[in-house]
Amino acid sequence: MAITEIEQLEKILPLRDEERAWKEKGESTLPLLISDTLIPLLSLPEIRKQFVPTVMENEDRIGNLDPQEESAHQGTGRLVHRYHNRAAFYTTDRCFAYCRHCFRRRFTGHLSGPAAYEEIEEAALYIKAHNEIKEVLLTGGDMFTLSDEHIDRMLSIFKEKCPDVIFRLCTRAVAVFPERFTKKLMEIIRQHNSGAPFFLMTQFNHPAELTEEAVKAVSSFVDIGIPAFNQSVLLQGVNDDEATLIALSEKLLTARIKPYYLFQDDPVQGTAHFRVSIERGLEIERNIRKELSGLGMPQYTADLPQGGGKVILTHAYYKGCTPDGRYLFETPDGETRYYPE
Ligand SMILES: *Cc1c(COP(=O)(O)O)cnc(C)c1O
Ligand code: SF4
Protein backbone atom coordinates (compact mmCIF):
# COMPACT_ATOMS: atom_id res chain seq x y z
CA MET A 1 0.00 0.00 0.00
CA ALA A 2 1.58 3.22 -1.15
CA ILE A 3 1.54 6.15 1.25
CA THR A 4 -0.67 9.09 0.29
CA GLU A 5 -1.51 10.66 3.66
CA ILE A 6 0.68 12.21 6.34
CA GLU A 7 -1.22 10.15 8.94
CA GLN A 8 -0.09 6.89 7.28
CA LEU A 9 3.47 8.14 7.10
CA GLU A 10 3.41 9.15 10.77
CA LYS A 11 2.74 5.52 11.73
CA ILE A 12 5.97 4.25 10.18
CA LEU A 13 8.23 7.27 10.52
CA PRO A 14 8.37 9.71 13.45
CA LEU A 15 7.85 13.02 11.66
CA ARG A 16 9.62 16.27 12.37
CA ASP A 17 7.60 19.42 12.98
CA GLU A 18 8.38 20.87 9.55
CA GLU A 19 7.25 17.63 7.89
CA ARG A 20 3.99 17.45 9.84
CA ALA A 21 3.36 21.13 9.12
CA TRP A 22 3.40 20.52 5.35
CA LYS A 23 -0.20 19.43 5.37
CA GLU A 24 -1.41 22.09 7.78
CA LYS A 25 -0.16 24.74 5.40
CA GLY A 26 -1.99 22.87 2.69
CA GLU A 27 -0.81 24.90 -0.30
CA SER A 28 1.58 22.44 -1.85
CA THR A 29 1.51 22.05 -5.59
CA LEU A 30 2.50 18.39 -5.46
CA PRO A 31 0.62 15.52 -3.74
CA LEU A 32 2.20 13.11 -1.28
CA LEU A 33 2.90 9.68 -2.77
CA ILE A 34 5.55 7.25 -1.56
CA SER A 35 5.72 3.78 -3.13
CA ASP A 36 6.20 0.59 -1.08
CA THR A 37 9.64 0.11 -2.57
CA LEU A 38 10.82 3.33 -0.93
CA ILE A 39 9.49 2.66 2.56
CA PRO A 40 12.48 0.64 3.80
CA LEU A 41 14.79 3.31 2.34
CA LEU A 42 13.17 6.22 4.23
CA SER A 43 15.53 5.69 7.15
CA LEU A 44 18.25 7.21 4.94
CA PRO A 45 18.13 11.03 5.15
CA GLU A 46 19.03 11.28 1.44
CA ILE A 47 15.96 9.28 0.45
CA ARG A 48 13.67 10.83 3.05
CA LYS A 49 14.43 14.33 1.80
CA GLN A 50 13.50 13.39 -1.77
CA PHE A 51 10.08 11.97 -0.87
CA VAL A 52 8.86 13.25 2.50
CA PRO A 53 7.37 16.73 2.07
CA THR A 54 8.17 19.62 4.38
CA VAL A 55 6.59 22.99 4.99
CA MET A 56 9.56 24.59 3.24
CA GLU A 57 7.87 23.70 -0.04
CA ASN A 58 5.03 26.03 0.78
CA GLU A 59 7.22 28.80 2.11
CA ASP A 60 9.38 29.11 -1.01
CA ARG A 61 8.25 32.15 -2.94
CA ILE A 62 11.40 32.62 -5.03
CA GLY A 63 10.78 30.13 -7.76
CA ASN A 64 8.39 30.09 -10.64
CA LEU A 65 6.12 27.18 -11.53
CA ASP A 66 7.16 26.96 -15.16
CA PRO A 67 10.70 28.37 -15.41
CA GLN A 68 11.36 26.73 -18.78
CA GLU A 69 8.17 28.21 -20.19
CA GLU A 70 7.32 24.79 -21.54
CA SER A 71 3.72 25.88 -21.77
CA ALA A 72 4.80 28.53 -24.30
CA HIS A 73 6.49 25.99 -26.60
CA GLN A 74 3.67 23.53 -26.96
CA GLY A 75 3.48 21.85 -30.37
CA THR A 76 0.19 20.11 -29.59
CA GLY A 77 -1.59 19.78 -26.22
CA ARG A 78 0.99 17.45 -24.69
CA LEU A 79 3.96 17.88 -26.99
CA VAL A 80 6.69 20.42 -26.24
CA HIS A 81 8.80 21.26 -29.29
CA ARG A 82 11.48 23.50 -27.85
CA TYR A 83 14.54 22.22 -29.71
CA HIS A 84 14.59 22.06 -33.48
CA ASN A 85 15.34 18.34 -33.75
CA ARG A 86 13.68 16.86 -30.66
CA ALA A 87 10.46 17.09 -28.72
CA ALA A 88 8.97 15.90 -25.43
CA PHE A 89 5.59 14.21 -25.07
CA TYR A 90 3.80 14.22 -21.70
CA THR A 91 2.33 10.74 -21.52
CA THR A 92 0.63 11.30 -18.14
CA ASP A 93 0.89 13.45 -15.03
CA ARG A 94 1.16 10.44 -12.68
CA CYS A 95 4.22 8.90 -11.05
CA PHE A 96 4.68 5.97 -8.65
CA ALA A 97 6.16 8.34 -6.11
CA TYR A 98 6.37 12.12 -6.21
CA CYS A 99 9.83 13.62 -5.83
CA ARG A 100 9.71 16.73 -3.70
CA HIS A 101 12.27 18.34 -6.01
CA CYS A 102 10.10 17.74 -9.10
CA PHE A 103 10.74 20.49 -11.63
CA ARG A 104 7.47 19.85 -13.41
CA ARG A 105 5.18 20.54 -10.45
CA ARG A 106 3.05 22.73 -12.67
CA PHE A 107 1.87 19.54 -14.30
CA THR A 108 2.80 16.49 -12.17
CA GLY A 109 0.04 14.89 -10.13
CA HIS A 110 -2.60 17.37 -11.22
CA LEU A 111 -5.12 14.85 -12.44
CA SER A 112 -4.88 15.58 -16.13
CA GLY A 113 -4.29 11.82 -16.30
CA PRO A 114 -3.02 9.68 -19.16
CA ALA A 115 -2.88 11.02 -22.71
CA ALA A 116 -5.97 9.99 -24.64
CA TYR A 117 -5.40 8.01 -27.84
CA GLU A 118 -6.56 11.05 -29.86
CA GLU A 119 -3.87 13.16 -28.20
CA ILE A 120 -1.26 10.51 -29.00
CA GLU A 121 -2.44 10.38 -32.64
CA GLU A 122 -2.32 14.16 -32.84
CA ALA A 123 1.23 14.27 -31.43
CA ALA A 124 2.35 11.46 -33.78
CA LEU A 125 0.98 13.39 -36.77
CA TYR A 126 2.74 16.56 -35.62
CA ILE A 127 6.04 14.68 -35.31
CA LYS A 128 5.55 13.05 -38.70
CA ALA A 129 4.80 16.42 -40.31
CA HIS A 130 7.93 17.94 -38.73
CA ASN A 131 10.57 15.67 -40.17
CA GLU A 132 13.30 17.71 -38.49
CA ILE A 133 12.28 15.95 -35.24
CA LYS A 134 14.70 13.03 -34.83
CA GLU A 135 14.11 12.20 -31.15
CA VAL A 136 11.05 12.24 -28.91
CA LEU A 137 11.10 11.97 -25.13
CA LEU A 138 8.17 10.00 -23.71
CA THR A 139 8.00 11.66 -20.35
CA GLY A 140 5.50 12.91 -17.78
CA GLY A 141 4.91 12.08 -15.01
CA ASP A 142 6.02 8.55 -15.64
CA MET A 143 4.91 6.68 -18.77
CA PHE A 144 5.03 3.36 -16.93
CA THR A 145 2.13 4.33 -14.67
CA LEU A 146 0.04 3.72 -17.81
CA SER A 147 -1.51 0.27 -18.17
CA ASP A 148 0.17 -2.37 -20.33
CA GLU A 149 -2.62 -1.92 -22.84
CA HIS A 150 -2.18 1.85 -22.98
CA ILE A 151 1.59 1.57 -23.41
CA ASP A 152 1.11 -1.01 -26.15
CA ARG A 153 -1.29 1.25 -28.07
CA MET A 154 0.80 4.35 -27.55
CA LEU A 155 3.96 2.68 -28.85
CA SER A 156 2.00 1.21 -31.78
CA ILE A 157 0.74 4.64 -32.79
CA PHE A 158 4.13 6.31 -32.51
CA LYS A 159 6.05 3.49 -34.19
CA GLU A 160 3.58 3.24 -37.03
CA LYS A 161 3.55 6.96 -37.82
CA CYS A 162 7.18 7.73 -36.94
CA PRO A 163 9.30 4.60 -37.52
CA ASP A 164 12.52 6.60 -37.97
CA VAL A 165 12.24 8.63 -34.78
CA ILE A 166 14.25 7.64 -31.72
CA PHE A 167 12.02 7.41 -28.64
CA ARG A 168 13.46 7.93 -25.18
CA LEU A 169 11.54 6.03 -22.52
CA CYS A 170 11.91 8.35 -19.52
CA THR A 171 11.16 6.80 -16.15
CA ARG A 172 11.92 6.89 -12.47
CA ALA A 173 9.87 3.72 -11.95
CA VAL A 174 12.94 1.49 -12.26
CA ALA A 175 14.10 3.16 -9.03
CA VAL A 176 10.82 3.66 -7.16
CA PHE A 177 8.62 0.80 -8.45
CA PRO A 178 10.80 -1.83 -10.15
CA GLU A 179 8.13 -4.55 -9.92
CA ARG A 180 6.30 -2.68 -12.67
CA PHE A 181 8.65 -4.20 -15.26
CA THR A 182 6.97 -7.58 -15.56
CA LYS A 183 7.69 -10.16 -18.25
CA LYS A 184 4.45 -9.12 -19.92
CA LEU A 185 5.35 -5.42 -20.07
CA MET A 186 8.88 -6.16 -21.27
CA GLU A 187 7.47 -8.37 -24.01
CA ILE A 188 5.32 -5.44 -25.20
CA ILE A 189 8.37 -3.18 -25.29
CA ARG A 190 10.43 -5.80 -27.07
CA GLN A 191 7.77 -6.16 -29.74
CA HIS A 192 7.90 -2.44 -30.51
CA ASN A 193 11.68 -2.27 -30.38
CA SER A 194 12.24 -2.20 -34.12
CA GLY A 195 13.11 0.56 -36.57
CA ALA A 196 14.79 3.47 -34.79
CA PRO A 197 16.03 2.45 -31.33
CA PHE A 198 14.55 3.09 -27.91
CA PHE A 199 16.73 4.59 -25.20
CA LEU A 200 15.92 4.17 -21.51
CA MET A 201 16.37 7.38 -19.50
CA THR A 202 16.43 6.83 -15.74
CA GLN A 203 16.63 9.13 -12.73
CA PHE A 204 18.80 7.84 -9.88
CA ASN A 205 20.04 10.54 -7.51
CA HIS A 206 21.69 8.52 -4.78
CA PRO A 207 23.57 5.19 -4.83
CA ALA A 208 21.10 3.65 -2.33
CA GLU A 209 18.38 3.91 -5.00
CA LEU A 210 20.23 1.31 -7.07
CA THR A 211 18.75 -1.63 -5.21
CA GLU A 212 19.05 -5.16 -6.55
CA GLU A 213 15.47 -4.91 -7.88
CA ALA A 214 16.16 -1.56 -9.56
CA VAL A 215 19.27 -2.91 -11.27
CA LYS A 216 17.28 -5.93 -12.44
CA ALA A 217 14.57 -3.69 -13.88
CA VAL A 218 17.16 -1.71 -15.85
CA SER A 219 18.80 -4.96 -17.01
CA SER A 220 15.52 -6.10 -18.50
CA PHE A 221 15.87 -3.18 -20.94
CA VAL A 222 19.60 -3.45 -21.57
CA ASP A 223 19.30 -7.20 -22.15
CA ILE A 224 16.92 -6.59 -25.07
CA GLY A 225 19.27 -4.04 -26.60
CA ILE A 226 17.92 -0.80 -25.12
CA PRO A 227 20.80 1.35 -23.83
CA ALA A 228 20.30 3.08 -20.47
CA PHE A 229 21.29 6.65 -19.55
CA ASN A 230 20.81 8.38 -16.21
CA GLN A 231 19.79 11.94 -15.43
CA SER A 232 20.42 13.01 -11.83
CA VAL A 233 19.53 16.26 -10.15
CA LEU A 234 22.10 17.93 -7.91
CA LEU A 235 20.23 18.16 -4.60
CA GLN A 236 21.29 19.71 -1.32
CA GLY A 237 21.41 17.10 1.43
CA VAL A 238 20.98 14.26 -1.06
CA ASN A 239 24.00 14.13 -3.37
CA ASP A 240 25.79 17.48 -3.08
CA ASP A 241 29.10 15.93 -2.17
CA GLU A 242 31.82 14.40 -4.28
CA ALA A 243 31.95 10.97 -2.60
CA THR A 244 28.21 10.35 -3.09
CA LEU A 245 28.28 11.36 -6.75
CA ILE A 246 31.36 9.24 -7.44
CA ALA A 247 29.73 6.22 -5.75
CA LEU A 248 26.55 6.88 -7.76
CA SER A 249 28.43 6.95 -11.07
CA GLU A 250 30.36 3.80 -10.27
CA LYS A 251 27.19 1.96 -9.33
CA LEU A 252 25.42 3.21 -12.45
CA LEU A 253 28.20 2.00 -14.74
CA THR A 254 28.24 -1.40 -13.05
CA ALA A 255 24.49 -1.54 -13.71
CA ARG A 256 25.20 -0.72 -17.40
CA ILE A 257 23.76 2.78 -17.14
CA LYS A 258 25.74 5.68 -18.58
CA PRO A 259 25.61 8.83 -16.40
CA TYR A 260 24.28 11.44 -18.83
CA TYR A 261 23.26 14.65 -17.05
CA LEU A 262 23.69 16.06 -13.58
CA PHE A 263 21.10 18.84 -13.55
CA GLN A 264 21.30 22.05 -11.66
CA ASP A 265 18.01 22.08 -9.75
CA ASP A 266 15.68 24.44 -11.65
CA PRO A 267 14.30 27.48 -9.82
CA VAL A 268 10.86 25.90 -9.50
CA GLN A 269 8.69 27.22 -6.72
CA GLY A 270 8.72 24.89 -3.71
CA THR A 271 12.22 23.49 -4.25
CA ALA A 272 14.49 26.22 -2.84
CA HIS A 273 15.60 23.97 0.05
CA PHE A 274 17.16 21.59 -2.50
CA ARG A 275 19.19 24.18 -4.37
CA VAL A 276 22.98 24.01 -4.49
CA SER A 277 24.81 27.14 -5.66
CA ILE A 278 26.29 27.01 -9.15
CA GLU A 279 29.70 27.92 -7.64
CA ARG A 280 29.57 24.80 -5.46
CA GLY A 281 28.17 22.77 -8.35
CA LEU A 282 31.11 23.77 -10.53
CA GLU A 283 33.53 22.87 -7.76
CA ILE A 284 31.91 19.44 -7.42
CA GLU A 285 31.99 19.01 -11.21
CA ARG A 286 35.70 19.75 -11.32
CA ASN A 287 36.51 17.47 -8.38
CA ILE A 288 34.55 14.45 -9.58
CA ARG A 289 35.97 14.78 -13.10
CA LYS A 290 39.40 14.06 -11.61
CA GLU A 291 38.12 10.81 -10.10
CA LEU A 292 35.78 9.51 -12.79
CA SER A 293 36.43 8.05 -16.21
CA GLY A 294 34.92 9.68 -19.25
CA LEU A 295 32.28 6.97 -19.17
CA GLY A 296 31.38 7.71 -15.56
CA MET A 297 31.27 11.51 -15.87
CA PRO A 298 27.83 13.14 -16.25
CA GLN A 299 27.46 16.57 -17.85
CA TYR A 300 26.60 19.21 -15.28
CA THR A 301 23.80 21.14 -16.96
CA ALA A 302 21.41 24.00 -16.30
CA ASP A 303 18.09 24.40 -18.08
CA LEU A 304 17.85 28.14 -18.56
CA PRO A 305 14.75 30.17 -17.70
CA GLN A 306 12.29 31.42 -20.31
CA GLY A 307 12.89 28.44 -22.52
CA GLY A 308 16.56 29.34 -23.04
CA GLY A 309 17.47 25.66 -23.27
CA LYS A 310 20.13 23.52 -21.65
CA VAL A 311 23.71 24.69 -21.21
CA ILE A 312 26.66 22.63 -20.04
CA LEU A 313 28.42 23.95 -16.94
CA THR A 314 32.06 23.05 -16.62
CA HIS A 315 35.27 24.46 -15.26
CA ALA A 316 37.03 26.50 -17.95
CA TYR A 317 40.34 24.73 -18.68
CA TYR A 318 41.06 26.85 -21.73
CA LYS A 319 42.31 30.22 -20.58
CA GLY A 320 42.79 32.00 -23.90
CA CYS A 321 45.51 32.95 -26.32
CA THR A 322 48.87 34.33 -25.20
CA PRO A 323 50.41 37.44 -26.90
CA ASP A 324 52.96 35.19 -28.65
CA GLY A 325 50.16 33.14 -30.19
CA ARG A 326 50.01 30.03 -28.01
CA TYR A 327 46.97 28.57 -26.29
CA LEU A 328 46.96 28.66 -22.52
CA PHE A 329 45.42 25.84 -20.52
CA GLU A 330 44.96 24.90 -16.92
CA THR A 331 45.39 21.17 -16.25
CA PRO A 332 42.87 19.28 -14.08
CA ASP A 333 45.48 19.47 -11.28
CA GLY A 334 45.66 23.25 -11.55
CA GLU A 335 48.99 23.50 -13.41
CA THR A 336 49.62 25.61 -16.50
CA ARG A 337 50.32 24.26 -19.98
CA TYR A 338 50.79 25.90 -23.38
CA TYR A 339 49.53 24.37 -26.56
CA PRO A 340 51.18 25.42 -29.82
CA GLU A 341 48.92 27.16 -32.30
C1 LIG B 1 15.79 18.31 -22.10
C2 LIG B 1 14.84 18.38 -23.17
C3 LIG B 1 15.05 17.68 -24.35
C4 LIG B 1 16.25 16.76 -24.57
O1 LIG B 1 17.46 17.43 -24.49
P1 LIG B 1 18.85 16.63 -24.61
O2 LIG B 1 19.88 17.65 -24.30
O3 LIG B 1 18.93 16.11 -26.00
O4 LIG B 1 18.82 15.50 -23.62
C5 LIG B 1 14.11 17.80 -25.36
N1 LIG B 1 13.02 18.59 -25.22
C6 LIG B 1 12.79 19.27 -24.08
C7 LIG B 1 11.58 20.12 -23.99
C8 LIG B 1 13.68 19.19 -23.02
O5 LIG B 1 13.44 19.86 -21.89
S1 SF4 C 1 9.43 11.00 -11.26
FE1 SF4 C 1 9.89 12.86 -12.46
S2 SF4 C 1 7.91 13.79 -12.96
FE2 SF4 C 1 7.57 12.29 -11.29
S3 SF4 C 1 7.72 13.50 -9.41
FE3 SF4 C 1 9.76 12.65 -9.80
S4 SF4 C 1 10.84 14.27 -10.96
FE4 SF4 C 1 8.61 14.75 -11.06
Side-chain angles (χ1 to χ4, degrees):
M1 267 291 288
I3 291 174
T4 55
E5 300 293 335
I6 282 285
E7 292 73 20
Q8 282 170 284
L9 190 56
E10 183 103 69
K11 285 188 191 133
I12 55 162
L13 194 72
L15 294 181
R16 302 189 191 104
D17 288 346
E18 71 268 21
E19 291 167 340
R20 207 173 296 110
W22 170 76
K23 193 184 171 188
E24 287 148 24
K25 282 270 182 163
E27 299 167 46
S28 178
T29 51
L30 189 69
L32 166 65
L33 180 61
I34 300 178
S35 60
D36 290 344
T37 314
L38 291 168
I39 293 172
L41 295 173
L42 290 177
S43 55
L44 297 169
E46 297 89 348
I47 304 295
R48 180 177 183 145
K49 186 165 181 189
Q50 290 184 72
F51 297 101
V52 176
T54 94
V55 74
M56 283 179 270
E57 292 179 20
N58 309 329
E59 288 167 353
D60 168 24
R61 290 281 171 268
I62 306 166
N64 168 316
L65 273 179
D66 184 16
Q68 268 71 61
E69 295 189 358
E70 289 186 329
S71 40
H73 291 81
Q74 243 130 10
T76 71
R78 286 175 179 260
L79 192 76
V80 174
H81 187 189
R82 174 146 61 93
Y83 299 103
H84 178 68
N85 65 342
R86 52 213 196 278
F89 182 69
Y90 297 96
T91 57
T92 175
D93 63 333
R94 311 295 162 78
C95 303
F96 288 107
Y98 292 116
C99 313
R100 306 322 302 177
H101 54 269
C102 181
F103 64 101
R104 217 169 264 150
R105 285 172 167 253
R106 166 180 67 83
F107 175 76
T108 317
H110 286 291
L111 307 177
S112 59
Y117 296 125
E118 300 75 61
E119 290 175 291
I120 299 169
E121 296 269 2
E122 189 193 3
L125 287 173
Y126 179 95
I127 296 162
K128 189 180 174 181
H130 290 75
N131 57 14
E132 72 274 18
I133 299 179
K134 307 293 181 207
E135 285 182 42
V136 172
L137 289 67
L138 299 181
T139 182
D142 196 311
M143 66 172 282
F144 291 107
T145 57
L146 301 177
S147 67
D148 287 354
E149 188 198 354
H150 208 113
I151 292 170
D152 192 15
R153 274 257 330 254
M154 178 171 74
L155 295 179
S156 300
I157 295 168
F158 279 132
K159 280 290 185 179
E160 191 208 322
K161 297 226 164 32
C162 323
D164 302 326
V165 171
I166 290 175
F167 286 92
R168 298 192 202 171
L169 313 177
C170 307
T171 183
R172 185 136 162 79
V174 286
V176 302
F177 201 65
E179 58 266 49
R180 175 69 187 92
F181 301 93
T182 58
K183 277 209 170 73
K184 179 160 170 260
L185 173 59
M186 294 315 299
E187 181 53 26
I188 291 169
I189 293 167
R190 198 192 57 77
Q191 280 173 10
H192 293 293
N193 188 23
S194 60
F198 287 137
F199 280 74
L200 179 73
M201 310 301 293
T202 63
Q203 183 193 154
F204 290 99
N205 295 319
H206 188 273
E209 293 166 30
L210 282 146
T211 59
E212 205 181 313
E213 293 74 28
V215 171
K216 247 178 83 183
V218 174
S219 286
S220 64
F221 286 84
V222 181
D223 287 346
I224 58 171
I226 300 176
F229 287 76
N230 187 63
Q231 310 192 140
S232 303
V233 191
L234 182 61
L235 299 168
Q236 190 193 108
V238 174
N239 59 13
D240 61 333
D241 69 281
E242 286 82 351
T244 303
L245 286 174
I246 291 166
L248 174 63
S249 272
E250 289 172 352
K251 251 181 136 165
L252 286 167
L253 283 185
T254 305
R256 299 183 287 175
I257 310 168
K258 160 80 182 105
Y260 177 50
Y261 280 139
L262 173 64
F263 283 117
Q264 173 67 17
D265 187 27
D266 288 337
V268 177
Q269 191 179 317
T271 63
H273 56 297
F274 283 105
R275 200 126 324 119
V276 178
S277 71
I278 290 190
E279 291 79 9
R280 175 64 185 133
L282 280 168
E283 181 182 58
I284 291 174
E285 193 266 354
R286 188 178 182 189
N287 289 338
I288 67 174
R289 192 178 287 279
K290 286 190 232 172
E291 306 290 326
L292 289 170
S293 70
L295 265 187
M297 186 67 198
Q299 303 190 82
Y300 179 39
T301 300
D303 210 345
L304 298 179
Q306 285 129 41
K310 296 181 179 72
V311 288
I312 308 297
L313 299 166
T314 183
H315 177 77
Y317 299 94
Y318 174 58
K319 300 290 180 195
C321 217
T322 62
D324 61 346
R326 291 179 302 166
Y327 299 117
L328 174 61
F329 283 93
E330 183 185 340
T331 71
D333 294 326
E335 292 174 11
T336 298
R337 290 287 187 280
Y338 296 94
Y339 199 95
E341 199 177 4

